[in-house]
Amino acid sequence: MAKWFQSGRRRDMCVLLAGAEDGEMTGQRLKTRLERRYDTRIEPKSFYGALDAMEDAGFVQHRTEGIADKYSLTEGGERRLREQFAWMAEHLDDGADEPRDEQ
């Protein structure tokens, strides 16, 4: 798993992008939704730094529309997110009270 995806914030950013109504979201809207989820303010430098790092890694892309940058997942980002979801689902609520041991 790529190091960028070890961050819960980055995973959550990808989840929000994946669930965007039209497949993309402005940076400000994404930041606001994440702040609401965490019930805390996120420093813009930290937030946009994470987006830039994910874009550099090829998991997020952006385009400019007017004065706003709109972000979306790339195919690679979508694939990684689905892999993460499958891994999490494998370890959660499959009728057992405890996660399965990895072997």
Side-chain angles (χ1 to χ4, degrees):
M1 180 75 43
K3 187 174 182 177
W4 70 272
F5 216 50
Q6 293 174 4
S7 160
R9 180 182 292 172
R10 292 180 188 189
R11 280 191 303 263
D12 292 349
M13 291 165 74
C14 290
V15 167
L16 289 171
L17 287 173
E21 195 168 299
D22 58 358
E24 62 183 5
M25 194 178 298
T26 65
Q28 185 57 50
R29 175 173 257 177
L30 178 60
K31 183 176 177 292
T32 298
R33 288 192 179 176
L34 202 59
E35 288 173 333
R36 285 182 187 154
R37 172 70 178 138
Y38 295 151
D39 194 27
T40 191
R41 183 178 181 278
I42 300 170
E43 289 295 325
K45 184 176 180 179
S46 173
F47 174 79
Y48 286 102
L51 272 176
D52 289 345
M54 289 192 299
E55 187 170 17
D56 290 346
F59 299 109
V60 171
Q61 60 191 5
H62 88 274
R63 67 181 183 84
T64 302
E65 183 177 283
I67 61 169
D69 287 332
K70 291 197 169 188
Y71 293 87
S72 60
L73 291 178
T74 62
E75 282 186 31
E78 175 82 19
R79 183 175 58 253
R80 276 309 207 5
L81 183 60
R82 294 203 177 274
E83 288 170 0
Q84 179 72 20
F85 178 78
W87 179 81
M88 291 172 70
E90 179 181 304
H91 291 82
L92 296 172
D93 198 30
D94 63 353
D97 290 331
E98 297 183 27
R100 296 182 217 156
D101 290 332
E102 289 187 11
Q103 296 183 22

